[in-house]
């Protein structure tokens, strides 16, 4: 009887060890989560939005490091999540809207900024959790990424039409839950000589929030 009990105990111990060895690892978190890096995965179809980081500007300058051109105190975007796999990897968003307001210019001959509009939306935004948290905004099915800047001048209004056919690069940060672009080029395709031959776009948006999820939590990239 003692031998039988000993064998049974050994068998149970062996089974427990075997079960621990073959138990599946906990599933990895998604690339995009809400509330915290270990929070719930962002669902496909959720809508993400953000305004400019407080106290910053969206700018269209004459060089990547310049300060001559147009700056806007207001800007926002809205994007829909189309893919959010387990980390590590890349999530994909569809940039549906992007707007600019409260814009001014320091270009000689320009008396004001009438409007800035983004054309050929939606764009595709790929968000990676690779080192540096890179993002890539690329053209969608509507065609090349476009931006039209309408300026008031002493001789009337002019339109500067810019395009980018290959996409622009940016980064995300869980500090402040931001997404930003710095000195990204758009080539002039039509407009008078007062328009820069290349407009360089910079902006940082945050906090990025998921307005579809309960409580509209902030976004994290893992």
């Amino acid at each position: 009887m003692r031998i039988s009990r000993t064998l049974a105990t050994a068998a149970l111990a062996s089974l427990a060890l075997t079960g621990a060895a073959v138990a599946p690892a906990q599933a990895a978190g998604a690339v995009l989560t809400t509330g915290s890096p270990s929070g719930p995965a962002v669902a496909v179809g959720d809508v993400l939005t953000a305004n400019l980081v407080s106290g910053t500007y969206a700018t269209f300058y004459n060089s990547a490091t310049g300060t001559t051109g147009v700056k806007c105190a207001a800007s926002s975007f809205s994007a829909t999540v189309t893919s959010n796999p387990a980390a590590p990897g890349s999530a994909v968003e569809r940039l549906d809207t992007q707007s600019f307001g409260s814009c001014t210019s320091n270009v000689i001959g320009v008396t004001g900024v009438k409007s800035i509009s983004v054309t050929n939306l939606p764009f595709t935004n790929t968000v990676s959790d690779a080192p540096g948290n890179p993002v890539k905004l690329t053209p969608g099915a509507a065609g090349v990424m476009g931006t039209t800047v309408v300026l008031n001048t002493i001789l009337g209004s002019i339109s500067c039409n810019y395009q980018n056919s290959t996409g622009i690069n940016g980064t995300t940060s869980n500090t402040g839950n931001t997404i930003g672009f710095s000195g990204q080029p758009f080539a002039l395709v039509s407009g008078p000589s007062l328009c820069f031959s290349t407009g360089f776009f910079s902006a940082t948006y945050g906090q990025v929030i998921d307005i579809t999820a309960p409580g509209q939590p902030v976004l994290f990239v893992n």
Side-chain angles (χ1 to χ4, degrees):
M1 182 66 71
R2 182 178 297 171
I3 293 173
S4 178
R5 287 199 299 269
T6 300
L7 290 174
T9 301
L12 288 171
S14 175
L15 181 61
L17 290 171
T18 303
V22 300
Q26 185 177 2
V31 173
L32 304 179
T33 60
T34 58
S36 72
S38 59
V42 176
V44 170
D46 278 12
V47 176
L48 310 177
T49 66
N51 298 311
L52 289 176
V53 170
S54 179
T56 68
Y57 295 90
T59 59
F60 299 87
Y61 284 159
N62 63 343
S63 71
T65 58
T67 57
T68 299
V70 172
K71 68 178 183 180
C72 301
S75 182
S76 63
F77 74 82
S78 174
T80 302
V81 176
T82 60
S83 174
N84 186 25
S90 295
V92 181
E93 304 163 3
R94 185 184 68 236
L95 180 66
D96 298 311
T97 66
Q98 188 175 20
S99 63
F100 299 90
S102 301
C103 303
T104 59
S105 176
N106 61 356
V107 176
I108 295 175
V110 174
T111 59
V113 180
K114 187 174 183 178
S115 65
I116 297 178
S117 57
V118 178
T119 59
N120 292 338
L121 288 165
F123 303 150
T124 299
N125 191 36
T126 303
V127 182
S128 173
D129 57 11
N133 296 324
V135 301
K136 180 79 172 182
L137 189 63
T138 53
V144 298
M145 297 164 57
T147 302
T148 298
V149 181
V150 181
L151 303 173
N152 295 321
T153 76
I154 56 177
L155 299 177
S157 64
I158 62 170
S159 292
C160 306
N161 299 298
Y162 295 92
Q163 291 183 353
N164 182 302
S165 61
T166 58
I168 62 175
N169 299 303
T171 58
T172 64
S173 173
N174 286 343
T175 302
N177 312 99
T178 62
I179 180 170
F181 302 88
S182 179
Q184 297 301 295
F186 284 77
L188 182 70
V189 292
S190 67
S193 59
L194 198 59
C195 304
F196 303 137
S197 60
T198 303
F200 292 85
F201 170 66
S202 299
T204 301
Y205 298 90
Q207 294 175 310
V208 181
I209 62 172
D210 183 340
I211 64 170
T212 307
Q216 300 189 348
V218 296
L219 183 75
F220 286 81
V221 180
N222 304 289

